[in-house]
Structures are given as C-alpha cells and as structure tokens.
Amino acid sequence: MAGPPKLCSSIHGGKSLFPFPASSSSLLAKPIFPLNAYTGSALSTGGLSCRHGLWRRAGGLKCRATSTPASVQPVTDGVVVEDKSKENLVSGDSIRRRFIDFYASRGHKVLPSSSLVPDDPTVLLTIAGMLQFKPIFLGKAPREFPRATTSQKCIRTNDVENVGRTSRHHTFFEMLGNFSFGDYFKREAIKWAWELSIEEFGLPADSVWISIYEDDDETFKIWHEEVGVPVERIKRMGAEDNFWTSGPTGPCGPCTELYFDFHPEKGIGEVDLGDDSRFIEFYNLVFMQYNRKDDGSLEPLKQQNIDTGLGLERLARILQKVPNNYETDLIYPIIQKASELANVPYHGADDKKKMQLKIIGDHMRAIVYLLSDGVLPSNVGRGYVARRLIRRAVRTGRLLGIKGDCKGNIEGAFLPAIAETVIEMSTSIDPEVKVRASRIIGELQREELRFVLTLERGEKLLEQMLSEALSSAKKIGRSSCLSGNDLFLLYDTYGFPVEITTEVAEEKGVEIDMEGFYVEMENQRRQSQAAHNVVKLDVENGGDLAEMVADTEFLGYDTLSTKAIVQSLLLNGKPVLQVSEGNEVEVLLNKTPFYAESGGQIGDRGYLYITEDQSERTAVVQIQDVKKSLGSVFVHKGTIKEGVLEVGKEVEANVDPKLRQRAKVHHTATHLLQSALKKVIGEETSQAGSLVAFDRLRFDFNFHRPLVDNELDEIERLINGWIGDATLLHTKVLPLTDAKKAGAIAMFGEKYGEEVRVVEVPGVSMELCGGTHVNNTSEIRAFKIISEQGIASGIRRIEAVAGEAYIEYINGRDSQLRRLCSTLKVKAEEVTTRVDNLLEELRAARNEVSTLRAKAAVYKASIIASKVVSIEASSPIRVLVENMDDVDAESLKSAAEYLVDSLQDPAAVVLGSTPDEGKVSLVAAFSPGVVKLGVQAGKFIGPIAKLCGGGGGGRPNFAQAGGRQPENLSSALEKARTDLLSVLTEKSSQ
C-alpha cells in the first residue's frame, strides 16, 4: 500500500492540513490509506484558521478574526470525546468528525443519524439528511434548537445500474449536513462552507468552483465580493441544476454548489461542471426561502431555512487522492475482502472485474445498514430494495467466481464473511450495528441461500427460453433472438445476470434483444424514481395552526380527570369557533389527561363535559380517539352528544378508567413479552412493531422461523411468573444518553428528545417508553398467547391477551368448549379423541366417494372413446378432445389417464369439464409417441386454458389447467381439437 505523499509545510505545527503534493495535482494510482499518523499540534474544533487569524482567500491571504463568540458553544447529544492526537486527518472517520466539530463550535446541535426507515409515509427510505427535520421546516413541529448538524445514513437506488461504473454513484452514502431553522441564512452558510473547505480541509482555493442559480444575484455577490471567489469560477446555471423544489408545490429555493477541480491546469475556458473526469460536486447549500403555490407563483416563507449536504465519500476521495470513491477507506476494505474471497487482486483486475468488486463493496454497506435498521428482505416496499441489493451482490460474487462460504462448504453463503468487515467498520457510523451483528449475519445467510435456489431455477428457465427461441426461428426461417422482455424477466424476477444470459445465448447461437431489455429497465427505473426518491414537503394550514396553538400539557400519568380550556375546534378539518350537537369534532385543549396514540398504544376514550352552576351539564362530548399532531398538540376526536362546544370554554376532561386500565395492562405485558422472547429465543431478537389495544396486544419481532409449542409455553410461564411476583414498577425521567447507558431498550419507530421516560420492571425489563403502565405487575392478573405467525420474511407476530381481556378470552373459550361437548355428547377431556375419530371417518367416506367418482368418470370415458379421430401416418395417431360435463378435476385426471393408456400409442387426449359454478377443469394426456414428435402437454394446455380465463401447465406427457369462464369451454375445446389435429398432422408428415 502506498504511503502518504510528501506534504507542503504550513504554520499548523509544521504540518499541512491538506495532503496534496506541492508539485503535482495528479491522482495516485492506489489508495493512500492508512496514512501515517500526523504529529504536531492537535487541531482545534473551531474555525481552524491559522492561529494568527489568517484566512486564505481566492485572491491571496487576508487577516481575519476567527474566534468563536463566547455565547456560541458546541452543542452535542451524547457525542463521545475522542483522542485526536494520533488521528489520520483525512480518514473517513476523521472527515466526519471534523465536519461535525466545525459546526458544533458554531452553535449547531449535534444530532445522531436517523434510521434508514423514515418516520414519513411519503418516502420509502431515508434519502437525504434533511428528512428528519421535515416537520420543523414545515412548521409542523416546534423548533427545539435554531441550528443542527448531522452525519446521516442515506439510501438511494434510482441509479443502481451506475454503481461501479462511475466514480461516484452509490446506493448507500453518508451525507454530512448543517441546518438552520429560521436562524442564519445565505451569508453565514456560504462563508462557513468556504471556511470549512479551504481552511479546515485545506482544499486549494483555485481548485474550488461555484455554481449558483442564474437569477440569484445575492448569492453571487456573497461569493464574489465577500468571499473573494473570482467571477470566472462562479457559474450561473438553470433551475434544473440550481433551484431546489420539494414537488410541484411547497418549499423551494435556489441552491449553490461547490465543485472540486481535479485538473485546474486545464484552465477556465469552456468549462463544463458536469464533466465527471474533471469535476466533482461535493457540497450543496439549499436556501429554502420560497413557497410555490398552486398557481406556480412564489411567495417568501415566513421562516427561511438552510439545508446543506456534503458527500462524505466524495470529500474522502478528494482528500485521500484516489481515483474514485470506492478506493477510499470508507469502502476499499470491503472491496479487499471480496477480492480475497474471489482470489482476484483488485489492482491487477481488468475493468469488468473491478466494477464487480465495486458493486459488492457498495451494496454490502447498504445491505448491512438496512438489515440493522430492521429492513428485512421481502417482495414489497423497502424489503424489496434490500432483497434486490442482496441478490445483485450474490450474482456479482458468482460472476467473480466466489463459490460457497469460502471455508470449504460449497453450499454455504459468502456474503456474511464480507458483512463482518462492514460491521467492523461501523462503529463511528452507527454503533448499534455491532450490537445487532448476529441478527444481520443470520438473515443475510438465509436470504443468500434462498436466492441461490432461485438463481438455479432461472438457469433452467433460460434453457427453456433458448430452446423455444431456436424452435421458433426454425419455423419462420429467421435468426433466433431472446426478447428483451425475457431478458428482464430473468434479471428482475430470478436475479439472473444479463452477462451470463448473453454468454449462454451466444453459445447456443441465439441473439439477445438488449435494446428491449434497456427499455424494460428504463421503465422500472422511472417508476422507482417517481415512487421513492422525492422528499415531499407541503406548506398547509397546519403551519399557521402551529403558531396559534401551544403544545398540550399531558397530565394522564397522574390523573384521569382535569379541568381544561378549549383552545381550538376543528370541523371537517377547518378551524371554527363553536360546534353544535350531532357533529363530529376535533378538540384541542390546553391540558389533558387523555393519552394520545403513540408507541403502539392507542388513544384513550372518555368524555368532555361543560358544567354550569356546579351541577348542570350543558354540553357532552364523547371522545373516541386521541392523536398527536403538530409536534405535541393532542387532537381529541369525538362527537357532540349534547349542547354546544365553544372555543374558550372550560371543560371537564374525563378518561374512561376501565379502558385505560386495559391499555396499561397490555402495555406492561408487552414489555414483559419482549424480555421473555429475548430469554427464550435469544438476545438478538428485537421489536419490529406493536399494538397496545383495549382488547389485545400485538408484538412484531425479528426472527427467522416459527416458534415451537414448548417455546411459547416457556414464554407464557416466564411472564405469568413475573406477574405473580407482584413487582413494583419504577418510572423516571433521564437524559437520553444516561438511559441508554443504563441499558434501556428503545421502542420501535419512536423518536426521543433529550430527556426520556424510562419504565423499569426491576430485574426483568427496562425500556424507553412514554406509554401508560400498571403500578404493580400483579395488576396484569394473567397472560395468554392466542396466536403466533409470520407476517413477512424474517418477521413474526404474537397476539396475546392479559387482565380483563384474558378473562373474556378464557370465558369465551370455555363457552365454546361446553357447546362442543354438548354437541358431541362427550366430556371435555374426550373432545380431542372424538374429533380425531370423526375426521378419520370423514376421510374414509371422502376416499370412497372419490373412488366411485373416478370409476364413473372412467366408465364415461370408455363410452366417449368411440369418438376418437385418427390421423393417417406410418403409425396412426389417435386424437380425442371431449367435454365431460360436471366431472371433478381428480376424476377428469383418472379418465384422461385411462383413455391415453387404452388407446394405442401414439395418442393425444384433451378433456374438459365444469365441476362447479364458475369453474373449468382441463387436462391433457399425451402418449410417448406424441411427445417424441415435439408436442408437449404442458405447453399445449396453457393457451387453451387462457380462453377460459385461466391457466396451467405440467409435464410433457401430462398437464392440468383451470379457468373461471365455463361459457367458453366449448369453443376452447373446439380450438384444442383443431390445433391438435393440425400440429400432429404437420409433425407426422415431416
């Protein structure tokens, strides 16, 4: 591995912050990491200008004070202080840390990356750093801090086919960002971006170009007159490149981008910033200053915001002086592991194999972080994204020649070995990945082995497609060609590599329709882009309402009744001053005892009363549900049962105590269930969703197989034991970092503030939870699992009852059992034996009926055998196509088998029937002589079944099919007779 290039000296302890050789700007041929540790004075976490306040500008050096104001201090959220004295300053981890420190020293709140599963139904996956701040940008959530900085995990798959082909395309990437929520704007954002790039990271000023929106003169003046960037290095560009929009309507604004020039020696004439061989965009600043209305006009936003994104992989490429993002220390170790498994040295590989190694390096990062964040492979939604990436990695590995697990097991999986490298590198990105390592590895292994079977089926299908293409070409006298649709089917459904399809087809002398394949690919990509890669923002009335209504004070932990003031009323979603009897209404109170739906627990039910003269109720509102909106505003949804409700009136808010107790019982039982699952099936299992209702609880969790009876029994035993222990629960509010250090488990899908509520069942469970809970486990009374099932690949679901719901469930079951005993005339303990006997008698009776039906069908077949038609040939071919009326499918099969056996070979039989209303049954039985002529039952029966609104297939000698249009059976059988006579006549004469 090459060492670091010779560094230019600077006044930073005699060491340069930027490892570019003084005499050359050319890129190294190989990655330069790990660099030798830099020595000298440690970097500060402030402006990081020269210690004498020198600020390097495009036009030279200019003195400037860079000290951070005393009032602006670094703001962090659980950030670990690292020893930076021996840090490699251009490693990916260091770049991330230096960016965060830079903005923390300028008063930005440091926040962790949000999950790749966004809390936003309009977006499939987290695709941008700003996504977690969307409610703040819209004014729908309170601004807890004026500015923030993050390093956000992101996934984008709209350009997946470019991964490995270009130097910069990725599915998984990290976006470093600084954000302002109505605080600073263009001037500060621009100056800090320049200071970060030139002073902190030491980029040569004459190698940084700027793009701006063509009409944004304000931004131009800041860049040119205040920062000092020469006019010739500022490019005005159109709306397509430099005007950010969230959609047809909503927040929007101009943006400015920073580009790095790898070849400044080429000069400034006729420059195209889109030239990837020379430039790379590495920092984008979005000035969110307008709202686009329905008529297309722009109006200034009440709160102007800053949203920026700096691509970590791109800046690492620049600073580490490697030819592409893949050879940075963020990805290259993964490539090295794949290279080792494939026995293909990366730097000695040809371009094709390098591309394949890059694909694995990229995809494995996306796969590991998706699995860690709870995205399991499936055929829908984000699970489909994970499955496609895994399959692409598997087939790419096979193209590279990786076989088995590379540990001697040819049937094993190789992705887990590469995933271990990704997991080892994950600490600074997401420390939870290592905690979930065993689950990630297990799921990856299962999915790879499942896919290998699918891939093998694809190989068989390809052979069949090639055979049909050759046969078809022979008939019409043209060259054979595999259609683009077939290519895409193999690629998309079976994960079959186009490269292998091409090679195999060429060996068979079959051409391939690549143009048609690209059309299918483009159609899918267009749909993917439209569905998954736009962050939708809308400025609605909610933003105005947020300014008018304060957060609701929740009192429900301590009381079920309180006096409150009606702050706002919504009728059909619109604010009104009063609502009369009979109307459905949404009520916003200044304080409430009602729990609003969150954390899986449904909202409380109850009543609002207006009482006059201490006793007379003049208005009654029945509350059926409570939800949170606009941050922490509780919306009470109900119906006016009596009187009139007005804004400003005082109401008495009463929660239904029996329903609240049911919710408390089920919520605490859910915590006990998670603890029991971890004890019985393993600590690696984790929550994937939950529902806490009045009548039951539902708990979804990550696990790869059904639970067996003894495991379910053990879970129930543990939980009922904890209930019987009568343990007092402890609840307390702690800083988030302290709660996590104490071992508290975060609930799935929940967001947490700086302080969190911790609910602990001592010795059993400790979770971050804002829900309502019992005071003592004995209040739960009893717990019973009522079902366990799979709901998606790798996701299991348990439904259970506790407390009063448990009593109702047991009483219901007891009532059913007593009725069953009465009907069967047996005691409760004899029910199982009696049912088994009845089932055996039923099976025997059904077998007898089936045998009689088959005999009847065979008898009927013997009668219609006289209708056979013969085709004259060296060996006459007997053909029989008939309708057998209402014969069932199994008897139709027996009749066809009887006929094809009784008729002399060669013989072909096609029978149809309508066994039930709206159903068609078809069967084709061909003797060996007919199959030898090239006519196959499985292929023949399919088109006939389609005429009856169905389909089917089978073996060359025997096939069954069905349909839903009995009225078409006669015409379908007539076509079968005509086609069969025609094709057999043709074949027999050849």
Side-chain angles (χ1 to χ4, degrees):
M1 190 71 68
K6 184 177 180 180
L7 305 177
C8 305
S9 63
S10 78
I11 61 175
H12 283 271
K15 301 293 180 182
S16 171
L17 293 180
F18 183 68
F20 282 91
S23 59
S24 173
S25 62
S26 62
L27 296 174
L28 297 179
K30 296 183 180 181
I32 62 173
F33 55 85
L35 299 178
N36 297 329
Y38 289 82
T39 56
S41 60
L43 292 172
S44 69
T45 58
L48 293 181
S49 59
C50 301
R51 68 183 68 169
H52 299 296
L54 290 177
W55 179 29
R56 180 165 44 191
R57 292 184 53 180
L61 293 176
K62 177 181 178 181
C63 287
R64 186 177 77 87
T66 60
S67 61
T68 302
S71 61
V72 180
Q73 297 297 325
V75 186
T76 62
D77 187 358
V79 176
V80 178
V81 178
E82 302 175 26
D83 178 9
K84 305 161 190 169
S85 59
K86 296 183 180 180
E87 185 177 16
N88 171 5
L89 298 181
V90 297
S91 71
D93 287 347
S94 294
I95 295 169
R96 184 191 305 107
R97 193 269 309 161
R98 289 166 67 185
F99 179 96
I100 296 297
D101 285 354
F102 180 88
Y103 282 104
S105 72
R106 286 153 180 78
H108 289 65
K109 174 75 171 178
V110 180
L111 295 173
S113 171
S114 61
S115 169
L116 288 171
V117 180
D119 186 22
D120 185 337
T122 69
V123 184
L124 193 67
L125 292 163
T126 297
I127 60 174
M130 58 79 65
L131 197 58
Q132 65 172 300
F133 304 116
K134 176 178 171 181
I136 302 176
F137 284 138
L138 292 177
K140 292 185 175 181
R143 188 186 75 165
E144 298 179 10
F145 30 79
R147 52 183 77 169
T149 184
T150 65
S151 175
Q152 176 63 52
K153 302 174 295 184
C154 298
I155 291 277
R156 292 184 188 174
T157 58
N158 54 315
D159 290 324
V160 67
E161 69 275 8
N162 287 328
V163 170
R165 298 180 185 276
T166 71
S167 63
R168 59 182 176 83
H169 278 94
H170 300 293
T171 56
F172 175 89
F173 58 95
E174 287 186 76
M175 189 64 76
L176 308 177
N178 56 288
F179 306 90
S180 168
F181 314 111
D183 185 20
Y184 64 83
F185 201 49
K186 290 184 180 180
R187 179 168 284 101
E188 295 88 345
I190 289 172
K191 289 186 174 181
W192 283 339
W194 185 260
E195 186 180 347
L196 176 78
S197 302
I198 306 305
E199 297 183 32
E200 169 65 35
F201 290 120
L203 301 184
D206 59 2
S207 293
V208 178
W209 290 64
I210 308 298
S211 71
I212 64 172
Y213 178 53
E214 56 192 356
D215 295 333
D216 192 358
D217 295 331
E218 180 187 4
T219 296
F220 175 83
K221 288 180 180 179
I222 296 172
W223 277 120
H224 178 55
E225 297 177 7
E226 300 185 35
V227 176
V229 178
V231 174
E232 57 269 19
R233 287 215 313 278
I234 303 175
K235 293 291 183 182
R236 292 181 183 265
M237 302 177 77
E240 183 177 346
D241 296 299
N242 280 73
F243 195 90
W244 178 84
T245 63
S246 63
T249 61
C252 59
C255 62
T256 184
E257 298 165 329
L258 284 73
Y259 289 79
F260 185 77
D261 184 359
F262 292 108
H263 299 287
E265 72 278 2
K266 292 185 177 181
I268 59 176
E270 300 296 325
V271 166
D272 176 12
L273 294 181
D275 179 2
D276 285 352
S277 66
R278 177 175 176 180
F279 296 100
I280 187 170
E281 175 206 340
F282 66 93
Y283 205 172
N284 183 20
L285 317 179
V286 174
F287 308 128
M288 204 180 296
Q289 65 186 96
Y290 301 115
N291 175 44
R292 190 186 299 278
K293 299 197 294 187
D294 290 336
D295 62 4
S297 62
L298 300 177
E299 62 179 3
L301 285 171
K302 296 177 183 178
Q303 173 181 294
Q304 295 184 328
N305 306 305
I306 291 291
D307 162 26
T308 79
L310 184 149
L312 176 59
E313 291 80 6
R314 297 185 181 198
L315 186 56
R317 171 193 173 187
I318 296 168
L319 294 180
Q320 294 175 13
K321 288 181 58 66
V322 291
N324 54 69
N325 297 2
Y326 299 94
E327 296 183 37
T328 67
D329 68 338
L330 294 165
I331 305 176
Y332 191 68
I334 309 168
I335 291 176
Q336 284 183 307
K337 183 63 179 180
S339 174
E340 173 191 326
L341 295 180
N343 196 26
V344 177
Y346 176 79
H347 289 291
D350 57 28
D351 289 344
K352 182 177 180 181
K353 291 194 181 300
K354 277 187 178 180
M355 179 190 72
Q356 292 165 346
L357 289 167
K358 290 174 185 176
I359 289 172
I360 293 178
D362 168 89
H363 285 14
M364 286 307 300
R365 293 207 303 166
I367 291 163
V368 166
Y369 287 100
L370 282 169
L371 292 175
S372 176
D373 281 352
V375 179
L376 298 179
S378 70
N379 289 328
V380 294
R382 55 181 66 98
Y384 182 63
V385 173
R387 174 158 285 171
R388 294 247 358 243
L389 292 175
I390 291 172
R391 291 185 169 192
R392 200 164 191 258
V394 172
R395 67 175 180 247
T396 302
R398 288 168 71 96
L399 283 172
L400 280 165
I402 301 177
K403 300 292 185 183
D405 62 2
C406 302
K407 296 178 182 179
N409 181 8
I410 196 67
E411 303 296 329
F414 71 88
L415 292 187
I418 304 176
E420 289 173 358
T421 301
V422 182
I423 293 168
E424 190 61 33
M425 297 168 63
S426 68
T427 302
S428 298
I429 304 172
D430 181 358
E432 291 298 313
V433 173
K434 285 190 176 180
V435 176
R436 302 163 182 155
S438 60
R439 177 166 58 83
I440 294 169
I441 294 296
E443 186 59 42
L444 197 53
Q445 183 176 39
R446 286 187 291 274
E447 181 65 15
E448 179 179 346
L449 295 179
R450 277 196 296 261
F451 174 55
V452 168
L453 297 177
T454 304
L455 199 59
E456 290 171 354
R457 288 197 294 270
E459 291 172 344
K460 294 178 181 177
L461 181 59
L462 173 58
E463 285 296 324
Q464 181 179 330
M465 288 177 172
L466 292 174
S467 176
E468 290 176 355
L470 288 168
S471 176
S472 176
K474 186 176 180 181
K475 286 182 181 179
I476 60 178
R478 294 182 182 176
S479 59
S480 55
C481 181
L482 200 59
S483 72
N485 187 57
D486 284 345
L487 282 172
F488 185 73
L489 175 67
L490 287 164
Y491 172 81
D492 189 57
T493 303
Y494 293 92
F496 208 76
V498 176
E499 297 88 346
I500 292 182
T501 302
T502 303
E503 292 173 7
V504 175
E506 288 177 351
E507 291 173 2
K508 300 284 188 179
V510 178
E511 299 176 358
I512 59 170
D513 177 18
M514 286 304 297
E515 184 176 343
F517 173 77
Y518 290 136
V519 168
E520 296 290 339
M521 285 287 289
E522 183 61 28
N523 289 339
Q524 185 198 60
R525 181 172 63 173
R526 201 177 295 119
Q527 293 170 359
S528 175
Q529 286 175 323
H532 307 315
N533 290 282
V534 176
V535 179
K536 176 66 175 168
L537 298 182
D538 286 315
V539 177
E540 301 169 344
N541 293 333
D544 297 330
L545 194 59
E547 296 177 3
M548 297 162 48
V549 181
D551 287 350
T552 308
E553 181 184 0
F554 177 59
L555 306 175
Y557 293 136
D558 304 313
T559 182
L560 297 182
S561 178
T562 190
K563 299 285 188 181
I565 302 298
V566 177
Q567 287 191 306
S568 181
L569 295 172
L570 299 175
L571 185 63
N572 298 322
K574 297 180 180 179
V576 295
L577 293 178
Q578 67 176 29
V579 183
S580 59
E581 184 177 323
N583 286 296
E584 294 184 353
V585 65
E586 294 177 324
V587 185
L588 279 60
L589 305 174
N590 65 328
K591 54 186 176 181
T592 184
F594 284 84
Y595 182 83
E597 179 180 322
S598 63
Q601 180 176 332
I602 65 175
D604 279 329
R605 295 177 187 173
Y607 288 89
L608 303 179
Y609 301 109
I610 295 180
T611 305
E612 294 184 1
D613 299 329
Q614 303 299 318
S615 60
E616 184 182 355
R617 287 176 175 171
T618 59
V620 177
V621 184
Q622 183 180 11
I623 301 300
Q624 286 108 7
D625 195 11
V626 185
K627 296 185 182 294
K628 283 184 182 180
S629 181
L630 308 171
S632 294
V633 176
F634 286 38
V635 181
H636 305 72
K637 300 184 177 185
T639 304
I640 310 285
K641 294 295 185 180
E642 296 178 24
V644 176
L645 190 62
E646 298 179 12
V647 173
K649 284 285 187 179
E650 183 181 68
V651 298
E652 181 182 337
N654 290 334
V655 174
D656 185 320
K658 291 183 178 180
L659 293 181
R660 166 65 78 84
Q661 181 65 18
R662 283 171 171 259
K664 289 164 62 176
V665 163
H666 280 141
H667 207 148
T668 305
T670 300
H671 287 209
L672 299 182
L673 174 57
Q674 176 156 232
S675 294
L677 280 166
K678 287 180 176 292
K679 285 183 176 294
V680 174
I681 63 175
E683 286 290 332
E684 69 277 5
T685 190
S686 62
Q687 182 178 345
S690 69
L691 171 69
V692 176
F694 304 129
D695 62 338
R696 72 192 190 286
L697 68 87
R698 188 177 73 211
F699 188 80
D700 300 339
F701 57 99
N702 297 302
F703 203 55
H704 60 278
R705 62 167 174 80
L707 272 63
V708 296
D709 288 344
N710 66 323
E711 290 172 328
L712 295 172
D713 291 342
E714 178 63 10
I715 289 168
E716 286 186 350
R717 188 192 67 77
L718 282 170
I719 295 173
N720 284 309
W722 293 328
I723 293 170
D725 290 339
T727 303
L728 284 170
L729 273 71
H730 296 165
T731 60
K732 51 191 172 184
V733 177
L734 296 174
L736 178 61
T737 51
D738 291 350
K740 287 185 175 180
K741 287 178 183 177
I745 299 173
M747 297 292 283
F748 177 83
E750 283 297 287
K751 288 188 174 181
Y752 300 97
E754 293 183 18
E755 291 193 328
V756 293
R757 184 168 180 263
V758 179
V759 177
E760 180 182 11
V761 182
V764 177
S765 166
M766 182 189 293
E767 297 192 17
L768 308 182
C769 183
T772 61
H773 290 270
V774 299
N775 295 315
N776 189 299
T777 58
S778 63
E779 294 178 40
I780 301 174
R781 299 164 71 182
F783 174 91
K784 180 67 180 176
I785 294 173
I786 58 177
S787 70
E788 190 276 336
Q789 61 182 333
I791 60 170
S793 176
I795 302 288
R796 308 296 302 176
R797 170 174 290 173
I798 284 178
E799 291 200 6
V801 289
E804 195 65 29
Y806 169 87
I807 301 299
E808 291 172 353
Y809 175 79
I810 294 300
N811 285 342
R813 284 298 181 95
D814 183 63
S815 176
Q816 291 171 355
L817 182 59
R818 280 188 276 111
R819 286 199 299 270
L820 191 59
C821 290
S822 176
T823 300
L824 297 177
K825 309 296 185 199
V826 295
K827 297 177 181 178
E829 58 269 24
E830 298 171 349
V831 167
T832 302
T833 301
R834 180 62 178 140
V835 170
D836 286 342
N837 291 337
L838 287 174
L839 288 174
E840 185 58 38
E841 291 172 12
L842 181 61
R843 279 192 291 269
R846 283 177 175 171
N847 288 338
E848 186 177 350
V849 169
S850 179
T851 300
L852 290 172
R853 283 178 175 173
K855 288 180 178 179
V858 168
Y859 174 74
K860 193 170 186 178
S862 66
I863 295 174
I864 66 172
S866 60
K867 298 181 180 181
V868 68
V869 176
S870 293
I871 299 173
E872 293 301 326
S874 55
S875 295
I877 305 172
R878 295 158 188 84
V879 177
L880 181 62
V881 180
E882 285 297 326
N883 186 338
M884 295 193 68
D885 303 322
D886 58 353
V887 171
D888 65 275
E890 193 62 28
S891 300
L892 196 68
K893 175 185 174 183
S894 298
E897 289 172 341
Y898 164 79
L899 285 167
V900 82
D901 287 341
S902 59
L903 298 174
Q904 293 182 359
D905 186 25
V909 176
V910 176
L911 301 177
S913 68
T914 53
D916 294 300
E917 185 177 353
K919 288 187 178 181
V920 173
S921 290
L922 290 163
V923 64
F926 295 174
S927 70
V930 170
V931 174
K932 191 174 180 180
L933 289 173
V935 182
Q936 298 185 6
K939 293 182 179 180
F940 182 83
I941 202 67
I944 303 303
K946 284 183 179 180
L947 298 175
C948 297
R955 303 187 306 274
N957 66 317
F958 191 88
Q960 289 180 285
R964 297 177 299 278
Q965 298 170 357
E967 65 273 13
N968 295 340
L969 178 59
S970 296
S971 58
L973 289 174
E974 186 56 39
K975 179 169 175 54
R977 182 182 292 105
T978 303
D979 290 354
L980 199 52
L981 289 171
S982 175
V983 70
L984 289 176
T985 299
E986 179 185 349
K987 293 286 186 182
S988 63
S989 63
Q990 291 178 355

